[in-house]
Amino acid sequence: MYRRIDVNAPEPSDSATPEKTPSKHFIRQAIDADLASGRFDGVATRFPPEPNGYLHIGHAKSICLNFGLAKDMGGTCNLRFDDTNPVKEDTEYVDSIQEDVRWLGFEWDNLHFASDYFDQLYDWAEQLVKDGKAYVCDLNAEETREYRGTLTEPGKNSPHRDRTPEENLELLRAMKAGKFTDGEKTLRAKIDMASPNINLRDPVMYRIAHVSHHRTGDKWCIYPMYDWAHGQSDSLEKITFSICTLEFEHHRPLYNWYCENLGIHHPRQIEFARLNMTFTVMSKRKLLQLVKENHVTGWDDPRMPTLVGLRRRGYTPESIRAFCADIGVAKFNSTIDVIRLENSVREHLNSVASRRMAVLNPIKLTITNWPEGKVEMMNAINNPEDESAGSREIPFSGELYIETEDFREEAPRKFFRLKKGGSVRLRSGYIVDCHDVVKDDDGNVTEVLCTYDPETKSGEDTSGRKVKGTIHWVSREHAKKVTVRNYDRLFKVENPDASSDTGSFLDHLNPDSLTTLTAHVEPALAEAAVGDRVQFERLGYYVVDPDSTDGELVFNRIVPLRDTWGKIEAKGKK
């Protein structure tokens, strides 16, 4: 029995794993205070991605926060694409972002694009020019940076700052008409070049770029800067709370200045700490570099922190929402241990994933007292956490495969698996006793010889015997072969962004982040379909990859199970 899951569809809302009720974090407290004071009469939020890349786990936190606040408080949440930089934007990203938001389980109230507002933004720019609050500047990009000053030194006025409103208006219209080349002129707000906040030192509002836009085509050759478009788009949509990540805190005075000087609806901007996670990079530039330089197979590579990558890895939207609720909302940047994300998916899949037996690194186990040719069907529970999942039958014979790691000819005291002269229970089967081994010419064990105790059948045990270990197995005759991709963390250090000898995060790539092997699995797994998630008993959680065909199934490891013996053994080697 499988829980069929379309990897491109949202999960059912009646998840077996209850999601945590969000506590009143500081953003919720601020919203409550504004509503109580009458500053706003409702909650309207938005999720405003730039369509210049695929969303990653950090965006999931923002999605859950913005859509979650609107849902919890009876408000609205828009999805708006801040598409102000046509050089880097593409409809591919627009489509993928919509798919990701829906997959996470959210639906927007309205779909907007900043490009919807280009005409209004331009009209407002002319208004600021006429009011003497914006001017056309001839400084190039390098000169603009030089005039801007530093964190400790004030900037200096552009030589073009004192142009008259009439001259500036004529030049702005000429910019819009395409009479100047890229970078030849910019439109800048006239604020304060001596401000301690560099963002207020006459920021650029428009730059010239003779580039086609994915929605407006060649209508425009000047494009608004993010800071100019963002707040005004919020205003036009009557957003009440503009929830941003912490790097926009120093941009808030500029956000406020634009709204106040235009005399338009003024949302409140509130910042929260973005998500940083160990063994991960979140920079779009670095993620793009990984893809472009073929360090991964694409944006949906299961080692990537992108939502499309996590989806292909087998992560569930429930687990990601639970993770975002678990880490909470903070005012200060910190780094979250990736183990918390891994534990979230373990917790969810433990309750919903069917159990199956698979042997990844096989060694033959022969039951020497098993009747020749006999095949017995063993009853196995599909999910001990879900009685409604029922059970299945697994063929059991005299020749089995077990994991090589589950046998030791000589084993330490705490090794509760199978060893020569020892006993172990075969899950959903019998207790077996190892009496000998077969070795090759090099002395390697190639076959484990055991006897079985017919009075110890699982569910019908009348022997009274107790053994400390239980291992999984598959019948050698009935096993099916599948391809297994064991994914591990893409980076081998907690902070890949930290400086290395060469200064590149690529120095920290994990060469063992993917291992591919052929596994032997119980016959029931032959029925699995793309998107099915199962637990390979005692090994980990796996999902059927889209690369699968009718003749060959491919399973991706989502996350391994906790390996108690592995930790004991690793500790002993230190």
Side-chain angles (χ1 to χ4, degrees), residues 11 28 51 79 94 97 134 140-141 153 155 178-180 188 361 365 368 374 378 394 532:
E11 295 284 333
R28 178 63 186 269
L79 173 61
V94 172
I97 289 170
N140 61 33
E153 297 179 357
K179 295 183 179 180
F180 302 111
R188 299 174 65 178
N361 186 19
L365 184 151
T368 56
K374 178 181 177 181
M378 300 298 181
I394 310 171
D532 284 344

Side-chain angles (χ1 to χ4, degrees), residues 20-279:
K20 298 181 181 180
T21 302
S23 58
K24 287 198 173 184
H25 47 69
F26 74 97
I27 295 179
R28 178 63 186 269
Q29 293 171 9
I31 291 174
D32 286 344
D34 280 355
L35 295 177
S37 69
R39 179 175 179 177
F40 301 111
D41 59 7
V43 173
T45 63
R46 80 288 170 271
F47 174 60
E50 298 173 74
N52 59 4
Y54 284 78
L55 300 185
H56 54 62
I57 186 65
H59 294 106
K61 179 179 178 180
S62 181
I63 292 170
C64 290
L65 179 58
N66 279 288
F67 282 92
L69 284 169
K71 179 180 179 181
D72 294 342
M73 305 190 73
T76 62
C77 184
N78 294 344
L79 173 61
R80 181 179 73 241
F81 292 95
D82 277 336
D83 54 344
T84 60
N85 187 0
V87 175
K88 297 183 179 180
E89 296 163 354
D90 196 283
T91 55
E92 173 189 352
Y93 301 133
V94 172
D95 295 340
S96 72
I97 289 170
Q98 292 183 70
E99 183 179 357
D100 285 343
V101 172
R102 286 193 169 113
W103 176 73
L104 275 176
F106 300 104
E107 187 63 46
W108 47 88
D109 289 277
N110 299 287
L111 177 64
H112 294 295
F113 294 80
S115 55
D116 295 338
Y117 312 131
F118 279 179
D119 289 294
Q120 179 62 74
L121 289 170
Y122 177 79
D123 289 343
W124 276 336
E126 284 205 354
Q127 176 183 328
L128 290 181
V129 168
K130 293 174 183 176
D131 292 343
K133 297 177 180 178
Y135 64 95
V136 174
C137 181
D138 297 355
L139 296 178
N140 61 33
E142 183 178 349
E143 292 168 335
T144 300
R145 283 192 294 270
E146 291 176 357
Y147 274 66
R148 196 180 190 193
T150 67
L151 292 173
T152 56
E153 297 179 357
K156 55 184 180 180
N157 290 345
S158 163
H160 317 108
R161 198 174 193 267
D162 295 327
R163 282 172 168 157
T164 65
E166 293 76 16
E167 185 180 4
N168 283 317
L169 187 60
E170 181 179 353
L171 288 170
L172 175 59
R173 289 174 176 174
M175 288 171 58
K176 179 175 179 287
K179 295 183 179 180
F180 302 111
T181 60
D182 291 3
E184 188 175 349
K185 297 183 186 298
T186 58
L187 179 70
R188 299 174 65 178
K190 186 185 290 187
I191 306 180
D192 181 5
M193 289 302 295
S195 172
N197 186 334
I198 289 183
N199 295 293
L200 295 180
R201 295 180 186 176
D202 291 8
V204 173
M205 297 168 58
Y206 277 94
R207 77 283 199 196
I208 301 171
H210 292 269
V211 180
S212 285
H213 189 278
H214 70 101
R215 295 188 73 246
T216 61
D218 295 322
K219 177 181 178 180
W220 295 89
C221 63
I222 58 170
Y223 290 98
M225 300 299 290
Y226 181 88
D227 278 337
W228 168 240
H230 180 73
Q232 283 49 260
S233 297
D234 283 348
S235 180
L236 286 165
E237 294 172 23
K238 295 297 185 287
I239 299 303
T240 53
F241 298 98
S242 177
I243 313 300
C244 303
T245 46
L246 203 58
E247 62 264 32
F248 289 98
E249 180 178 17
H250 295 298
H251 296 249
R252 191 196 326 147
L254 179 57
Y255 184 101
N256 295 338
W257 188 91
Y258 283 137
C259 288
E260 291 165 2
N261 282 274
L262 288 170
I264 58 178
H265 169 72
H266 189 171
R268 178 181 179 182
Q269 178 175 307
I270 307 174
E271 305 85 18
F272 69 98
R274 65 184 301 169
L275 173 60
N276 296 302
M277 199 160 59
T278 58
F279 297 97

